[in-house]
Amino acid sequence: MTEHSNGGRTAIVVGGGLAGMLAVTALLGQVETVTVVERDRYPEGRGFRKGVPQARHLHVLLSGGRHALEELLPGTVAALGEAGARGLYLSRDLLTRTPTGWQRRFDERRHLTLSVTRPVLDAVVRERVLGAAAGSATRVEVLEATEVTGLTGDASRVTGVRVRPRDGAPGARSERELPAVLVVDASGRGSRTPQWLAALGRTVPHEETVDAGIAYATRMYRPKDPATAPDAGINVPGWPECPRGAVYVPVEDGKWLLTMSGVRGHHPPTDAAEFTAFSATIGDPYIHELLDRAEPLSPVHGFRDTRNRRRHFERPGALPDGLLVLGDAACTFNPVYGQGMSVAALGALAVRRTLTDGGGLRYGITAEAQRAVARAAEPAWLAAVGADRPYASTGDTKAGLGERLSTWYLDRLFARAAIDPVVGAAFRDVFNLTAPPTCLVAPRIFLRTVFLPRRPGLPGPPAAIEAV
């Protein structure tokens, strides 16, 4: 990749949220300057930011994402723990109700998931990224309250962006160009890269969407007596016969978050009394009973933009040279499954490895990096759309034989995983983004799933932890 006479060795990151900060980390040492363009102003301390509409809802970092984050920013997992993030080992510390009963509670310590509020996560990561930049050869500057209005360059090469201050900022109507050798779009679900590409005369890449019509709502609680609080989080996902679900997990400062969800016709309400009543209609009464022992600390916050959307920027010729798309701007998941932050970390790590192994910024390297980002997101995409597609299907078209067999096998596998430590471990490997989905059809897993008898899960939430 050649340098521009006006762009030097500058990279621009569009979006200063989690994906944007992780993109900065991937670029340290690759360029002289990284300029982050952020629409909002960062809050004082660790407060909520307007530009993160999901900030008040449940956020978890799966173990695959946790490993990626730690490789990108060593010491960050410990810093999150010091800030109050709660570590949950699956399946020991998360009790799960399946359609066939409660999952057995195995003392398996291979997948540590972090449960933390989004403001704390964003602030800790941002602080550590800027701290890492201060000790590197790359200078990082952040333009707050500034929005990108378009790309500069042409259909074959992006050379920078056009920006202007947001309304209310000095010179809000003035627009200027920022040249760069690389532009990274990490602006999230609202990314305008397709429109910007069209303005450069390029064909917009193919977009794939699976929308199950799921909505969710969240409220924060504190147990009235910490001594009687549950010793594990609770997960009661919805299933076709009961399409309402809930997750109740601890976060920092002794607080708990309850997120409830439902498909079309079963959306959780945002009225406080109705929200509590809704908790009695999910697949098990346990969470509803726990609310009698907790006091609410917040209003109920709703969210409905839960579609899975993948833009195929990785396909040959989909992007001009000098442009890279990360995080939700490239692949957006139903947030109910808690994959987005982990995929953002895995994608940023894939970019760093591509740049390092490929000799740094050069012509064609962004296409290689975009393919690596897509590969990092693929397992999470398959899991999310596989779970949502039954609710998203319309019309009277019958499922083909292959789809019916796949559904039968997965139903049997999920039931087996609830009681079988071997099948359960394989399922958790894939769910936590540390193993490919093909592991679920490995001979050992296939034989245990198909030929061992199908038995129900436990009749109630397990208290005892079983050795494995």
Side-chain angles (χ1 to χ4, degrees), residues 180-192:
V181 295
L182 174 66
V183 174
V184 180
D185 179 10
S187 60
R189 287 173 172 263
S191 167
R192 295 183 58 78

Side-chain angles (χ1 to χ4, degrees), residues 395-430:
D396 298 325
T397 303
K398 289 186 63 176
L401 177 61
E403 184 174 343
R404 294 198 302 273
L405 286 173
S406 176
T407 299
W408 175 85
Y409 179 76
L410 289 176
D411 285 346
R412 195 170 179 90
L413 184 140
F414 295 153
R416 189 73 206 170
I419 61 170
D420 186 324
V422 175
V423 177
F427 171 75
R428 286 183 285 278
D429 288 345
V430 174

Side-chain angles (χ1 to χ4, degrees), residues 8-331:
R9 298 283 294 180
T10 295
I12 292 172
V13 175
V14 184
L18 178 68
M21 284 293 125
L22 295 178
V24 171
T25 308
L27 297 174
L28 294 180
Q30 300 290 339
V31 291
E32 294 174 358
T33 302
V34 177
T35 299
V36 180
V37 184
E38 169 54 45
R39 285 172 51 88
D40 293 337
R41 290 195 181 278
Y42 291 124
E44 294 292 331
R46 295 173 177 175
F48 291 99
R49 184 160 64 90
K50 181 180 178 181
V52 186
Q54 298 163 247
R56 297 182 184 274
H57 302 279
L58 172 66
H59 284 80
V60 295
L61 194 66
L62 303 174
S63 63
R66 181 177 59 84
H67 290 311
L69 176 62
E70 189 65 13
E71 185 170 342
L72 285 164
L73 281 169
T76 301
V77 171
L80 286 168
E82 292 169 2
R86 298 290 298 271
L88 304 175
Y89 281 105
L90 307 183
S91 64
R92 190 190 72 171
D93 300 325
L94 185 68
L95 312 183
T96 299
R97 172 66 158 89
T98 75
T100 59
W102 287 89
Q103 178 179 288
R104 290 166 61 186
R105 196 175 176 185
F106 300 115
D107 192 11
E108 178 188 286
R109 306 192 187 194
R110 296 164 58 245
H111 295 294
L112 181 64
T113 294
L114 296 183
S115 174
V116 61
T117 58
R118 185 62 183 266
V120 168
L121 180 78
D122 282 354
V124 169
V125 170
R126 184 167 63 247
E127 291 162 7
R128 295 194 63 82
V129 168
L130 297 179
S136 78
T138 299
R139 183 171 68 93
V140 176
E141 59 181 4
V142 180
L143 302 180
E144 297 179 61
T146 304
E147 63 181 343
V148 174
T149 60
L151 302 171
T152 60
D154 55 35
S156 63
R157 180 77 174 88
V158 168
T159 59
V161 298
R162 291 189 300 275
V163 301
R164 68 183 176 200
R166 296 286 309 274
D167 290 345
R173 294 189 178 181
S174 61
E175 189 173 82
R176 61 189 175 109
E177 294 186 359
L178 298 178
V181 295
L182 174 66
V183 174
V184 180
D185 179 10
S187 60
R189 287 173 172 263
S191 167
R192 295 183 58 78
T193 286
Q195 293 90 326
W196 296 340
L197 291 176
L200 293 179
R202 291 193 66 98
T203 301
V204 176
H206 173 67
E207 183 173 302
E208 186 178 357
T209 300
V210 177
D211 186 1
I214 293 175
Y216 59 92
T218 298
R219 196 177 198 187
M220 185 173 286
Y221 293 83
R222 187 191 303 277
K224 295 175 183 177
D225 180 359
T228 64
D231 67 342
I234 302 98
N235 177 32
V236 184
W239 50 83
E241 293 76 21
C242 184
R244 300 181 178 191
V247 184
Y248 190 50
V249 294
V251 290
E252 60 270 15
D253 301 326
K255 300 172 184 176
W256 288 64
L257 276 180
L258 172 61
T259 291
M260 295 195 292
S261 62
V263 299
R264 297 178 183 89
H266 297 273
H267 289 171
T270 54
D271 173 82
E274 294 176 2
F275 180 81
T276 302
F278 186 93
S279 69
T281 68
I282 63 175
D284 192 276
Y286 184 44
I287 290 178
H288 179 71
E289 294 165 359
L290 289 174
L291 296 187
D292 288 337
R293 293 183 253 154
E295 58 176 330
L297 301 180
S298 75
V300 181
H301 300 278
F303 190 80
R304 294 199 173 194
D305 185 9
T306 63
R307 58 183 170 160
N308 303 283
R309 186 199 65 212
R310 177 167 59 171
R311 291 168 173 161
H312 287 281
F313 294 119
E314 80 282 1
R315 292 182 176 175
L319 289 177
D321 196 52
L323 178 63
L324 185 60
V325 187
L326 280 181
D328 281 355
C331 194

